[in-house]
Amino acid sequence: MLIVQKFGGSSVADAAKIERVANIIADTYRAGNEVVVVLSAQGDTTDDLIEKAHEINPAPSKRELDVLLSVGEQISVSLMAMQLEKMHLPAVSLTGWQVGLRTNSAYGAARIKSVSTERIRRELDKNRIVLVAGFQGVNKFDDVTTLGRGGSDTTAVAIAAVLNADKCQIYTDVDGIYTADPRKVAAAKKLDAITYDEMLELASLGSQVLHNRSVEMAKRYSVDLEVLSSYERKPGTKVKEVVKPVERMIISGVAKDANIARITVVGVPDAPGVAFKVFSVLGKAGINVDIILQSAGMGGTNDISFTVASADAETAKSILAEYAQSIGFDHVTVDTNVAKVSIVNAGMMNGPGTAVKMFEALSTAHINIQMISSSEIKLSVVISAQEADRAVSAIHDKFFEA
Ligand code: ASP
Ligand code: MG
């Protein structure tokens, strides 16, 4: 089999951990597999490099920052190669550009355009373990780029996709994907499997296990993905297209996203075209809107509320305020003291019971719901930020009968 294994920064943070990871790689290789390994920078290296940059220049150019940040992953792959050499295993470390990982030119958040298989293939054919520096590539000017924080996952999936690997294993310091954040919800359960779509929802809802783009790419190229622990040898969580009912939990996860704000446009005329005007103004400014609610106000006017990422809240407010007169509304308010709590389940449309259960949990916990939104695979509520953790626990307990 051809197996791509990715190890995160905490898994290679020091010499002892590098040795532990080398043993996993060695076992995979000795079992007769072709092995490509993608590594992240050790521990807090990336943060430390950013700090170093800022000591010199608080606003370095993105190009130079990427040259600096790409160093972290190169340290990891070269050290791992040395460890494997010591174990008498043939290994070779390669940078993003050596493996022909081409990206666009968005420094700091570059998107992968193509990966060449030629160099990796050649090394595998020499029976070598190939160690690839994650998170980095090269653009059309042959300049170094990085893929955005957490981007090594995406490097691994891209390589698995182009090599048509049998498996892509993402090793981390948790042993899989849980039904809730296990650090906050003691009864959180590990999932055996989750769909790509559910994983994307959970990632965008603030569960940080996998880089979002890696899941999108895994879905697009049907990569056989698994998240597992680098400390314990046991199965992790499979991420795949379809999860059979027997493999399913009642819900796949409860997640919270505290980085949202609620904006209310107060007193919009009750007339055709108003929502179009409000949201096209925001769309032109590149602001993504999530949950939308329109309620009837007094005297023939309505209020339109919606959520945006916290970072966009002030911009959204000031842009809208400029249009108060032409659209004909009264004023705009912003509430950043809100959070979105969601349950995710690709089998959710199987009946109304799921929604009732979630609302009952919130009712029993006396948590007020400000907004509700549902899609095929998730149900979200917007509530006060202070109550978010309590809401996650209450909902989780309700579904898993703690
Ligand atoms: N080292 C990079 C980061 O800290 C990339 C990664 O770890 O995936 O964000
Ligand atoms: Mg990560």
Side-chain angles (χ1 to χ4, degrees):
M1 280 205 284
L2 198 170
I3 302 181
V4 175
Q5 300 185 316
K6 182 258 169 181
F7 297 90
S10 50
S11 304
V12 294
D14 56 36
K17 289 180 173 169
I18 286 180
E19 189 179 348
R20 189 202 323 254
V21 165
N23 284 323
I24 298 177
I25 298 170
D27 288 350
T28 314
Y29 178 79
R30 289 191 184 115
N33 299 298
E34 294 185 303
V35 188
V36 179
V37 177
V38 174
L39 298 180
S40 293
Q42 294 183 279
D44 296 329
T45 302
T46 307
D47 291 319
D48 295 345
L49 289 172
I50 292 172
E51 210 171 285
K52 238 186 183 45
H54 290 166
E55 276 169 24
I56 306 278
N57 179 347
S61 70
K62 291 183 164 182
R63 182 196 181 278
E64 297 310 329
L65 193 60
D66 275 4
V67 173
L68 181 68
L69 296 191
S70 67
V71 171
E73 273 65 16
Q74 292 177 62
I75 293 174
S76 297
V77 286
S78 56
L79 292 177
M80 186 62 74
M82 294 172 198
Q83 171 66 42
L84 291 166
E85 277 172 6
K86 192 170 80 182
M87 295 159 68
H88 306 292
L89 288 164
V92 59
S93 66
L94 297 171
T95 62
W97 41 104
Q98 283 176 302
V99 300
L101 193 150
R102 314 293 306 193
T103 72
N104 69 9
S105 291
Y107 296 108
R111 297 190 82 107
I112 299 177
K113 299 186 94 167
S114 63
V115 188
S116 158
T117 53
E118 196 264 330
R119 178 70 192 266
I120 299 178
R121 197 61 262 173
R122 191 158 22 110
E123 300 296 346
L124 289 173
D125 289 344
K126 290 184 207 158
N127 285 322
R128 288 180 171 157
I129 297 168
V130 183
L131 305 163
V132 180
F135 175 60
Q136 55 181 252
V138 66
N139 65 14
K140 65 179 176 208
F141 308 113
D142 283 340
D143 284 337
V144 177
T145 56
T146 66
L147 308 181
R149 298 308 302 270
S152 298
D153 295 339
T154 303
T155 304
V157 172
I159 287 176
V162 295
L163 291 176
N164 217 344
D166 297 287
K167 283 172 189 240
C168 181
Q169 302 176 324
I170 309 283
Y171 287 86
T172 127
D173 51 359
V174 294
D175 58 1
I177 314 288
Y178 279 75
T179 51
D181 184 343
R183 288 163 303 185
K184 297 219 170 99
V185 179
K189 292 183 169 50
K190 197 178 94 184
L191 298 165
D192 292 334
I194 185 170
T195 68
Y196 297 123
D197 289 329
E198 288 172 324
M199 193 61 228
L200 280 170
E201 289 293 349
L202 288 171
S204 64
L205 297 173
S207 146
Q208 287 301 340
V209 185
L210 286 174
H211 196 227
N212 237 7
R213 236 175 254 165
S214 71
V215 184
E216 284 166 15
M217 197 178 293
K219 177 178 163 70
R220 171 134 36 103
Y221 298 100
S222 301
V223 173
D224 183 307
L225 196 61
E226 183 173 7
V227 175
L228 60 183
S229 163
S230 31
Y231 304 109
E232 290 167 275
R233 307 277 185 113
K234 61 177 188 193
T237 302
K238 290 265 189 192
V239 188
K240 52 192 194 175
E241 185 60 38
V242 181
V243 174
K244 295 191 204 84
V246 288
E247 296 174 298
R248 284 209 152 272
M249 299 255 181
I250 172 157
I251 53 170
S252 295
V254 187
K256 83 161 180 188
D257 182 357
N259 291 319
I260 64 159
R262 172 187 174 150
I263 295 184
T264 305
V265 186
V266 180
V268 300
D270 191 13
V274 170
F276 168 62
K277 285 179 197 153
V278 167
F279 293 110
S280 60
V281 163
L282 295 168
K284 279 186 196 126
I287 294 174
N288 278 325
V289 170
D290 187 22
I291 303 177
I292 301 174
L293 189 85
Q294 175 168 301
S295 57
M298 308 289 279
T301 64
N302 297 323
D303 292 345
I304 298 179
S305 288
F306 53 90
T307 60
V308 295
S310 311
D312 287 338
E314 281 309 317
T315 319
K317 181 182 175 179
S318 53
I319 288 172
L320 280 170
E322 285 172 34
Y323 289 84
Q325 269 210 309
S326 63
I327 302 177
F329 62 82
D330 196 63
H331 64 282
V332 186
T333 63
V334 175
D335 184 358
T336 50
N337 194 24
V338 291
K340 179 170 74 169
V341 171
S342 310
I343 56 174
V344 174
N345 179 3
M348 194 134 86
M349 295 316 272
N350 293 337
T354 319
V356 173
K357 243 180 165 152
M358 179 169 179
F359 299 149
E360 188 186 347
L362 293 167
S363 158
T364 311
H366 297 289
I367 294 170
N368 188 43
I369 301 171
Q370 300 178 17
M371 301 168 101
I372 301 171
S373 131
S374 68
S375 77
E376 269 188 4
I377 71 163
K378 74 168 174 182
L379 180 62
S380 307
V381 294
V382 173
I383 59 175
S384 147
Q386 292 88 287
E387 303 191 308
D389 285 333
R390 207 159 63 78
V392 170
S393 299
I395 295 166
H396 192 275
D397 289 354
K398 183 85 206 158
F399 279 96
F400 294 98
E401 306 290 347

